[in-house]
Amino acid sequence: MAARIGNHRPSAPSAAFWGACLYFLVLLSASAQTAEQLQAEMKRMEAGAGFATDTAYLNLANELGFILAESSPDSAVSYLDLQLQRCREARYEKGEAEALKIYGNALQNKGDFRGSISYYSEALEIAKRLDGEKLVPGILNNIGLVNYNLGNYAEALNSFYEAIKGADLTKDANVKAAALNNVALIYFEQDKLEEAKEKYREMLAIYQETGNKGRVILAYNNIGDVELKQNKPLEALKNLQVAYQSATELNSPEFVEMTSRTLADIYAALDSADRAEELYLQSIALSRENGYGVPYAHSLIGLAELYYQKGELQQATDLAKEGLAQAETMAQPMQMRNANELLSRIYEDQGDFQAALRSFQLFKFYNDSINTSHSQRLTATLEAEYEFSKKEMEYERASSRQRWIIFSACAGLLAFLIILFVEYRNKKNLDKAYHSLQDKNNEIASKNEALEKALSQLKAAQAQLIQAEKMASLGELTAGIAHEIQNPLNFVTNFSQLSAELIQELSEERAKKPEEQDPDLLDEILSDLQLNLGKINQHGKRADSIVKGMLEHSRASTGEKVQTDIKSLINECLRLSFHGLRARDKSFSADFSTEVEPDLPQAQLVPQDISRLLLNLLNNAFYACANADFRKENPDLKPLVTVSASCIAKGSPKARLKISVTDNGPGIPPEIIDKIFQPFFTTKPTGHGTGLGLSLSYDIAKAHGGELTVQSVPGEFTTFTVFLPV
Amino acid sequence: MKILFVDDERDVEDLFRQKFRKEIRSGKLELAFAFSGQEALELLSTDNPPKFVYVFSDINMPGMSGLELLEEIKSRFPLIQVSMISAYGDQENYDKAMSSGAKGFFTKPVDFDSLKKEISSLIEDRD
């Protein structure tokens, strides 16, 4: 029974008391000045004229009033009467509201809840008129506390809720924390201990953030209270050791009293009677000294219980009676119930059953009234809670709506910025792409130009190469040409000489007498003369043809196709080639033969091109089979070049002229036979061939709509065949 | 006296027949013509010993060249005299011909006088 009472008792009064204290601490921490300092400051100001209407002075006076209201509420009352009068005379409304509220604090600390609430109401009325309503949340919180102490839980909760809302608006973290503390009190009352602890922890977080040591102590104290009620005295002890230690360091009577009282309850629960006694005594001393009514009653009754446990009944009786008297002054049914319950046990033990019965009846009465009022409170609380949560939800909805609007605006702005950024990037990318395209276009244009230039240069180079090749082959041919001109010239010379001699002879013969003349000889001479003139003419034409051919060869091709006698073209080329090689290489020796089909049709072609083609093929053929190295290696082989010409598919539109040049040289190795028509490919030593002969020959055949092919068996023969349209 | 001319140009025949008409008529000179080295060797081989005493040969001919023919004649018919008639009167050909045993070296166009002198001296030697 004792344990139940002990466990049950301390929480509500201590929390209620310290809830009321909160407001004072706000100012105390803000000014951080002691009563002595304030009094000195005020005295200094009182020396000046009109100090009573100076707001700075009145503010200081209020601060002092605060300290007095908490430390000695009795003396505070008369002090505050004067302060109120001064503020009214000075028409300083803020100061007046402040003074009224402090008056309410003092009365509440004295236990005059009804008196305090009228002062608070008056203060609230003025505070609401003031700009910013900064005083309102604090006053509401204090009104809530009074209502709580009076058992008006619904009104209390409403006030606390209004206080939290107001504190959020005015960004008053301290008042918010105080109101949270008081909401936690109501959870405590309802045995919602975990929820209560959670609110206390929220409060603790705020205080730790604002760095207020006093209220950190309060938070630890209240959390310990809850844990004690949860029957977790060891956990409670940890929190209270922190709180008591801090309170001692802070050297604040209020906090030392509070923590010592709670710690005493914990030790009592842990059966550490000595420590509990010591701490109760500390609490009683401080409460008596500073006029803390409710704590005084609490600790007296707690200590009485300890002495009863120890069997010291007289001391227990005295303390319990004193506690009961104090509780009656404070109109505290809980303490009165606890005191009567203890007294009835004591009287019973002492054998005074009449007194025991009286006390028990009183205990029963207060217990019932507490239970009744408790259940009434609970009902009211539940209703209030419903209203409260509704309001809370409205508030949250409103603030969440506001938050939603702000969030939407921010999101919209962000989206707009993102779109703007994306657009900007897109534009930049487009610009970049456009510029790089332009650059590429320019690059392509300039490359094109360069390519065209290179192409025209290549064409010029090719033309030069062709010309060079012509000149080179002309050089090769020079000796042959010389021979071929020399020979007819020789005949012209010799036949003309002979003819002159014949005419001389003829004259001599005719100078003879007619009978001596030899008519056969004359006939013979005349016919020879005729023959010779024919020969001269024939060889003159032959030389002429050679010279013309040479000129044509060196000239750039006109590309004009003319009817050409293939047989004579072949013979001319063959002789040119043979004698050309022979002239350049004295050791050169080769045979050639031609197999030309009779009635070979004339062909429409560019003679100088085809003769160049044939000369190339013939020169190659003679070179292949009759060059010095090859002959040295094959001394028994008779170099032979055979040229054959025929017409295939005669009479049909597909009729083709087929000219083959075959040599019995070493043949062409299969690995290079594919390359021989490529420009600049040559097997001759450097400086002995341009490598363009066969390439140009191939081009000539193609340009005539014909073909140039090659067949070769290494060690046997090589045949180049050109097919030309008839 | 039988003389052989070797040249791939057939008109040479007319040239020399006219030139030595009198000698031919008088029977002092008999001319034969071959148009390649091979043909010349065949002609020379028809009689044994050959009736030809002198061979005039061109150098630049397809197949067997005049110089090759010279060497062949000199090895097979050492008694037959051989002279070269070439369009190319260069030193190399000349040296080659002479070292191979040629009697004379004539350049084209043929200087009939010197040729006639050569043949005349030949005839006189025989006479």
Side-chain angles (χ1 to χ4, degrees), chain A residues 605-670:
Chain A
L605 43 80
V606 187
Q608 63 265 44
D609 284 352
I610 295 300
S611 69
R612 188 137 44 96
L613 187 160
L614 290 174
L615 282 169
N616 273 324
L617 297 183
L618 290 165
N619 284 343
N620 284 348
F622 280 122
Y623 181 85
C625 62
N627 75 76
D629 293 341
F630 179 66
R631 274 189 297 161
K632 210 175 278 173
E633 286 167 28
N634 304 277
D636 297 333
L637 194 83
K638 296 285 176 195
L640 176 69
V641 173
T642 311
V643 181
S644 66
S646 60
C647 185
I648 53 170
K650 204 183 281 178
S652 86
K654 284 186 175 178
R656 303 227 131 188
L657 204 59
K658 178 186 174 189
I659 306 168
S660 298
V661 177
T662 304
D663 67 75
N664 59 351
I668 302 170

Side-chain angles (χ1 to χ4, degrees), chain A residues 275-574:
Chain A
R275 284 191 189 169
E277 182 184 352
E278 194 185 313
L279 288 161
Y280 276 135
L281 287 170
Q282 190 181 9
S283 165
I284 289 161
L286 285 167
S287 296
R288 190 186 291 138
E289 196 181 317
N290 296 293
Y292 309 149
V294 179
Y296 185 54
H298 177 110
S299 289
L300 285 172
I301 297 163
L303 190 58
E305 179 70 36
L306 276 183
Y307 287 143
Y308 171 73
Q309 301 286 340
K310 285 203 280 186
E312 294 174 23
L313 295 181
Q314 193 51 54
Q315 271 181 292
T317 309
D318 293 346
L319 286 167
K321 279 182 177 171
E322 198 185 340
L324 180 61
Q326 181 64 32
E328 278 166 351
T329 356
M330 307 289 294
Q332 283 282 296
M334 187 76 78
Q335 301 301 336
M336 289 191 272
R337 182 200 72 165
N338 291 348
N340 278 310
E341 192 267 340
L342 176 59
L343 281 171
S344 79
R345 273 184 283 145
I346 295 168
Y347 291 143
E348 198 180 334
D349 288 359
Q350 286 174 337
D352 185 350
F353 296 107
Q354 204 178 349
L357 182 62
R358 203 170 52 244
S359 291
F360 188 78
Q361 279 169 337
L362 282 170
F363 157 73
K364 194 84 174 81
F365 170 75
Y366 289 122
N367 196 44
D368 287 351
S369 97
I370 285 170
N371 283 347
T372 309
S373 74
H374 188 69
S375 50
Q376 280 170 349
R377 279 176 184 182
L378 278 182
T379 313
T381 306
L382 287 173
E383 281 168 12
E385 195 177 26
Y386 174 71
E387 286 298 311
F388 174 71
S389 58
K390 229 168 68 177
K391 281 184 180 174
E392 200 167 42
M393 271 169 70
E394 267 169 34
Y395 170 65
E396 275 180 4
R397 210 179 298 147
S399 65
S400 80
R401 201 182 301 135
Q402 204 171 1
R403 256 179 281 149
W404 177 243
I405 288 165
I406 291 167
F407 172 76
S408 302
C410 285
L413 188 68
L414 188 71
F416 177 69
L417 286 174
I418 288 168
I419 289 166
L420 214 66
F421 177 69
V422 167
E423 279 300 309
Y424 171 71
R425 276 242 323 240
N426 280 352
K427 195 184 170 302
K428 242 176 105 173
N429 285 346
L430 269 176
D431 279 358
K432 235 164 98 180
Y434 175 72
H435 282 305
S436 74
L437 255 180
Q438 230 173 12
D439 287 351
K440 280 196 179 135
N441 272 344
N442 290 340
E443 204 178 313
I444 287 166
S446 72
K447 272 190 183 163
N448 218 10
E449 214 171 288
L451 278 174
E452 271 171 17
K453 207 171 147 191
L455 184 64
S456 69
Q457 280 174 347
L458 262 176
K459 277 181 177 168
Q462 193 183 29
Q464 277 178 358
L465 271 173
I466 290 169
Q467 194 59 24
E469 163 63 20
K470 277 180 190 171
M471 287 305 163
S473 63
L474 191 62
E476 281 176 14
L477 289 172
T478 309
I481 287 164
H483 181 266
E484 286 308 289
I485 294 171
Q486 189 64 56
N487 261 347
L489 277 179
N490 290 341
F491 281 114
V492 168
T493 309
N494 286 138
F495 276 116
S496 59
Q497 275 177 354
L498 269 176
S499 299
E501 284 175 24
L502 284 175
I503 288 168
Q504 180 68 36
E505 214 176 313
L506 189 67
S507 309
E508 283 170 10
E509 195 62 30
R510 284 185 65 188
K512 288 177 183 173
K513 290 167 187 169
E515 60 275 11
E516 285 174 18
Q517 287 181 4
D518 182 349
D520 291 347
L521 180 69
L522 287 173
D523 287 349
E524 196 184 313
I525 290 169
L526 283 172
S527 90
D528 278 350
L529 269 173
Q530 199 176 12
L531 177 83
N532 289 359
L533 288 172
K535 291 290 175 195
I536 288 165
N537 187 265
Q538 182 200 327
H539 286 285
K541 278 185 177 164
R542 184 176 153 197
D544 180 65
S545 149
I546 298 287
V547 170
K548 279 197 176 127
M550 186 183 72
L551 288 174
E552 272 173 10
H553 184 83
S554 66
R555 220 179 287 132
S557 171
T558 57
E560 199 189 328
K561 286 178 181 171
V562 293
Q563 287 288 341
T564 310
D565 178 18
I566 294 298
K567 190 179 173 184
S568 63
L569 193 70
I570 289 170
N571 281 328
E572 193 182 294
C573 290
L574 203 47

Side-chain angles (χ1 to χ4, degrees), chain A residues 483 487 490-491 494 497-498 501-502 518 524 528 532 535 539 542 575 578 582 586 589-591, chain B residues 9 11-12 14-15 18-19 21-22 25 59-63 68 88 90 92 108-110 112:
Chain A
H483 181 266
N487 261 347
N490 290 341
F491 281 114
N494 286 138
Q497 275 177 354
L498 269 176
E501 284 175 24
L502 284 175
D518 182 349
E524 196 184 313
D528 278 350
N532 289 359
K535 291 290 175 195
H539 286 285
R542 184 176 153 197
R575 292 183 61 82
F578 175 80
R582 182 69 192 82
K586 301 301 176 223
S589 171
D591 202 359
Chain B
E9 295 273 0
D11 285 347
V12 166
D14 287 327
L15 210 58
Q18 284 183 42
K19 187 68 204 172
R21 180 199 315 275
K22 286 176 188 167
R25 274 194 170 211
I59 292 177
N60 296 313
M61 291 182 295
E68 283 170 331
Y88 307 102
D90 55 289
E92 194 188 337
K108 287 180 180 179
V110 179
F112 287 124

Side-chain angles (χ1 to χ4, degrees), chain A residues 45-91:
Chain A
M45 291 179 87
E46 279 163 14
F51 68 88
T53 52
D54 185 347
T55 54
Y57 175 80
L58 292 173
N59 283 345
L60 284 176
N62 270 336
E63 283 186 38
L64 183 62
F66 249 104
I67 295 169
L68 289 174
E70 299 306 321
S71 54
S72 58
D74 291 332
S75 61
V77 172
S78 57
Y79 171 84
L80 285 166
D81 277 333
L82 178 65
Q83 170 67 3
L84 265 177
Q85 201 182 332
R86 278 180 184 156
C87 287
R88 281 168 185 157
E89 278 167 7
R91 300 191 180 283

